[in-house]
């Protein structure tokens, strides 16, 4: 697996502009289709980072680029082990005093999870900007090249400092903490449904709507875990009418924590609630999230003992719970549960 995430840096000769590391991991943005008109049936993770740079004439006028090929795979195959290696690679690059920021190209299917992991584990104030595309590189109207240009512009921008990990696509700048994928095919595939975007890129010029936070929520909270790949197992259970209770029991027997993508405000059938109460009593944290896609999941009296996921999507709640359980693995059960409640109280806010 280590060999998958290795590469050799190549640097452009310009010396008068900020220097940005471009780390490529594959995805649709590196995908190839049989014809320029084909936008759905294609092979992801084919082109190398240097081939992608060839589609960006003039990028040398935005920043000096150091390119690193860090794997080339569809993002549905990304695992927590890959998160760890991406975290190691980003942390290593960010230590270079010449580097002002990192751009990471990534498949969109699990982009929000990798982005949130990096937000949680990287403590550097330098921006880490993730981007991808919804159309393959061979498409008649490929969105990858302009997304890379915009992401590089944001990574090279002083205003992007100390905002945690960012996501740039379709000219929008989003926080990795709040961005979620909301479309299967549209180029405007990511939004922050409640908080909105942080800014946008207009003709290569990043414009932020407001100043950065002094301490972006949860940014770098788990920096000591960067590079650790054996994170605890956390299952996501999808709530639906008449859902089988045996799926819940299966997860209870094998997982260190459970995230429920519940109906509405994190609700669930009574039989499921009964089983999950037993999980909580045995020391397994259970996070209530929602399958609806927007709006907060709030604490409710009938779900005492459960942890409300707030604004976090089920996928993001899983990442946060995995890291929290790893950080608290030596704590007593009561202290571990308290830590989970505290971190979700902070992470679930806008």
């Amino acid at each position: 697996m280590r060999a998958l995430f290795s590469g050799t840096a190549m640097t452009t000769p310009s010396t008068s502009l900020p220097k940005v590391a471009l780390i490529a991991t594959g995805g649709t943005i590196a995908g190839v289709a049989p014809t320029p008109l084909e936008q759905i049936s294609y092979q992801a993770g084919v082109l190398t980072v240097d081939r992608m740079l060839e589609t960006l004439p003039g990028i040398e006028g935005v920043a000096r680029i150091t390119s690193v090929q860090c794997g080339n795979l569809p993002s549905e195959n990304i695992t927590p082990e890959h998160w760890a290696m991406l975290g190691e690679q980003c942390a290593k690059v960010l230590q270079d005093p010449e580097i002002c920021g990192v751009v990471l190209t990534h498949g969109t299917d699990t982009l929000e999870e990798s982005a949130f992991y990096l937000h949680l584990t990287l403590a550097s104030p330098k921006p880490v900007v993730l981007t991808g595309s919804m159309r393959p590189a061979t498409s008649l109207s490929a969105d990858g090249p302009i997304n890379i240009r915009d992401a590089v512009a944001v990574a090279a921008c002083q205003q992007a400092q100390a905002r945690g990990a960012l996501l740039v696509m379709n000219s929008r700048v989003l926080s990795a903490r709040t961005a979620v994928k909301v479309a299967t095919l549209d180029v405007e595939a990511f939004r922050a449904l409640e908080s909105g975007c942080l800014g946008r890129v207009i003709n290569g010029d990043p414009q932020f709507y407001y100043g950065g936070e002094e301490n972006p929520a949860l940014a770098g909270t788990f920096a000591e875990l960067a590079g650790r790949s054996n994170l605890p197992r956390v299952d996501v259970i999808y709530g639906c009418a008449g859902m089988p209770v045996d799926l819940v029991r299966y997860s209870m027997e094998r997982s260190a924590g459970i995230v429920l993508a519940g109906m509405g405000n994190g609700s669930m059938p009574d039989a499921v609630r009964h089983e999950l109460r037993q999980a909580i009593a045995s020391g397994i944290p259970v996070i209530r999230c929602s399958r609806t896609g927007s709006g907060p999941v709030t604490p409710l009296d009938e779900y005492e003992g459960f942890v409300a996921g707030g604004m976090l999507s089920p996928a993001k709640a899983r990442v946060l719970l995995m890291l929290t359980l790893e950080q608290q693995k030596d704590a007593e059960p009561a202290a571990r549960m308290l830590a989970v409640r505290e971190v979700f109280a902070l992470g679930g806010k806008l």
Side-chain angles (χ1 to χ4, degrees):
M1 190 66 74
R2 284 282 168 183
L4 180 64
F5 280 76
S6 61
T8 302
M10 298 175 60
T11 307
T12 57
S14 174
T15 58
S16 60
L17 292 169
K19 188 175 181 182
V20 172
L22 177 61
I23 301 175
T25 70
T28 300
I29 198 168
V32 172
T35 72
L37 297 180
E38 179 58 65
Q39 297 181 342
I40 299 176
S41 296
Y42 56 87
Q43 184 178 352
V46 175
L47 300 183
T48 65
V49 63
D50 294 319
R51 282 289 302 279
M52 288 193 291
L53 283 172
E54 290 173 4
T55 69
L56 288 162
I59 191 67
E60 66 276 3
V62 179
R64 292 179 290 150
I65 304 296
T66 293
S67 61
V68 181
Q69 189 68 50
C70 196
N72 214 350
L73 72 166
S75 72
E76 62 265 28
N77 292 329
I78 291 287
T79 68
E81 185 175 8
H82 292 104
W83 295 343
M85 288 183 277
L86 285 175
E88 281 185 319
Q89 182 69 64
C90 288
K92 179 181 177 181
V93 169
L94 290 169
Q95 290 175 358
D96 184 342
E98 279 196 87
I99 296 292
C100 68
V102 168
V103 169
L104 182 68
T105 62
H106 194 290
T108 60
D109 281 354
T110 59
L111 191 156
E112 65 192 81
E113 292 161 78
S114 294
F116 193 41
Y117 172 87
L118 294 174
H119 177 84
L120 294 170
T121 59
L122 295 177
S124 173
K126 297 178 182 180
V128 173
V129 183
L130 291 91
T131 193
S133 75
M134 295 301 291
R135 296 171 180 167
T138 52
S139 173
L140 184 63
S141 298
D143 52 326
I146 197 66
N147 286 342
I148 294 175
R149 191 282 303 270
D150 288 350
V152 168
V154 171
C157 174
Q158 182 64 33
Q159 284 184 288
Q161 298 272 330
R163 292 179 184 264
L166 301 172
L167 190 156
V168 172
M169 280 187 64
N170 198 43
S171 301
R172 269 62 175 184
V173 183
L174 302 165
S175 168
R177 192 169 68 89
T178 57
V180 293
K181 189 174 183 179
V182 297
T184 58
L185 301 174
D186 301 341
V187 293
E188 189 174 5
F190 287 86
R191 297 180 190 172
L193 294 170
E194 297 288 338
S195 61
C197 55
L198 302 180
R200 64 180 300 154
V201 184
I202 301 176
N203 199 31
D205 179 24
Q207 298 184 11
F208 286 87
Y209 297 147
Y210 48 84
E213 304 172 69
E214 185 174 346
N215 295 297
L218 296 181
T221 300
F222 301 92
E224 77 276 13
L225 301 182
R228 194 170 303 181
S229 59
N230 56 336
L231 297 177
R233 170 173 167 167
V234 171
D235 286 357
V236 177
I237 300 174
Y238 192 87
C240 54
M243 59 186 295
V245 176
D246 57 350
L247 290 179
V248 178
R249 296 188 185 119
Y250 184 91
S251 289
M252 289 169 56
E253 293 170 359
R254 293 162 176 81
S255 301
I258 294 173
V259 175
L260 180 83
M263 296 87 88
N265 187 14
S267 66
M268 65 197 77
D270 287 345
V272 171
R273 175 168 47 182
H274 173 75
E275 292 296 329
L276 290 178
R277 283 196 184 284
Q278 295 186 52
I280 294 168
S282 68
I284 300 174
V286 178
I287 313 300
R288 291 172 45 242
C289 291
S290 178
R291 70 183 193 183
T292 60
S294 66
V297 169
T298 63
L300 295 171
D301 290 343
E302 60 264 39
Y303 290 108
E304 183 181 358
F306 292 78
V307 177
M311 300 302 302
L312 292 174
S313 68
K316 290 182 186 291
R318 174 176 175 261
V319 176
L320 182 57
L321 184 55
M322 291 168 76
L323 288 167
T324 304
L325 290 174
E326 176 65 17
Q327 188 183 64
Q328 300 293 323
K329 64 181 180 180
D330 296 325
E332 295 295 324
R336 183 168 58 248
M337 188 68 77
L338 178 61
V340 169
R341 292 187 179 281
E342 290 177 344
V343 77
F344 272 86
L346 177 61
K349 295 180 179 180
L350 278 179

